[in-house]
Amino acid sequence: MTVPTVPHVPPVPKTSVLVLDCSDPEPLARFYAALLDAVVEPAEGDPDLLLVSGSSGAVLGIRRDLGHAPPSWPRPEDSLQAHLEILVAPDALDDAEREAVSLGARPVAAEREGTRSDRRTDLRRYMDPAGHSFVLVTAAPARTPSPARDDERAAARTPTGTTPLP
């Protein structure tokens, strides 16, 4: 029995953006741009959306919603909600906290008490100026991507006999 071959159809190129709604996007976009050392640009074709782009390539959208009501925190029954995790080097957590608070973040909680060698917490939760939750959490420094490794990954995802898109 011969199994028919199915022609490979390349996936549709796409990207994703986490979007935070708020009634006044400009100040919130400036808050995250300063916190993340990023830039703010208007979204093409959407006058109510600002994009905050960091040097790592991560993009955060801030969208105007005139009917926006800030999220409540803490939520009942320990329910989880979407939040941003901002990764910082273990030795930079205190500095990152001071920076976030100076920009307008409101501390909510410290978690995982005593897990650092100095017995301090390594995860700190805040509310941004519009009421969305985010955390500063310690993480090992990010690995710098190597072009050779990226080429290997692309080759592994490309079926034999096809050409990857540029």
Side-chain angles (χ1 to χ4, degrees):
M1 178 170 142
T2 305
V3 177
T5 58
V6 178
H8 173 71
V9 177
V12 175
K14 41 186 120 30
T15 188
S16 62
V17 176
L18 174 66
V19 176
L20 299 177
D21 292 337
C22 64
S23 58
D24 189 8
E26 291 83 6
L28 190 60
R30 285 193 303 270
F31 167 82
Y32 278 109
L35 184 62
L36 301 173
D37 191 26
V39 297
V40 177
E41 300 172 315
E44 189 174 319
D46 187 345
D48 291 327
L49 180 64
L50 296 173
L51 300 175
V52 180
S53 304
S55 60
S56 68
V59 178
L60 174 65
I62 310 292
R63 187 180 71 83
R64 182 181 320 278
D65 176 358
L66 297 176
H68 173 73
S72 63
W73 185 264
R75 307 262 317 183
E77 297 89 38
D78 276 340
S79 66
L80 298 176
Q81 62 179 331
H83 64 275
L84 298 176
E85 284 197 0
I86 299 172
L87 308 176
V88 298
D91 62 348
L93 185 60
D94 292 334
D95 290 337
E97 178 175 47
R98 282 189 286 277
E99 180 181 37
V101 170
S102 75
L103 293 169
R106 296 182 310 271
V108 175
E111 300 174 17
R112 298 197 308 227
E113 292 290 352
T115 54
R116 291 181 10 168
S117 59
D118 61 3
R119 309 302 300 155
R120 307 255 334 265
T121 183
D122 65 349
L123 186 148
R124 300 175 190 174
R125 189 172 304 280
Y126 305 86
M127 301 289 272
D128 70 21
H132 305 98
S133 62
F134 72 93
V135 297
L136 294 175
V137 61
T138 59
R143 177 184 72 79
T144 304
S146 104
R149 182 71 178 136
D150 290 343
D151 290 344
E152 289 171 19
R153 276 193 225 117
R157 288 190 305 264
T158 305
T160 306
T162 63
T163 304
L165 296 173

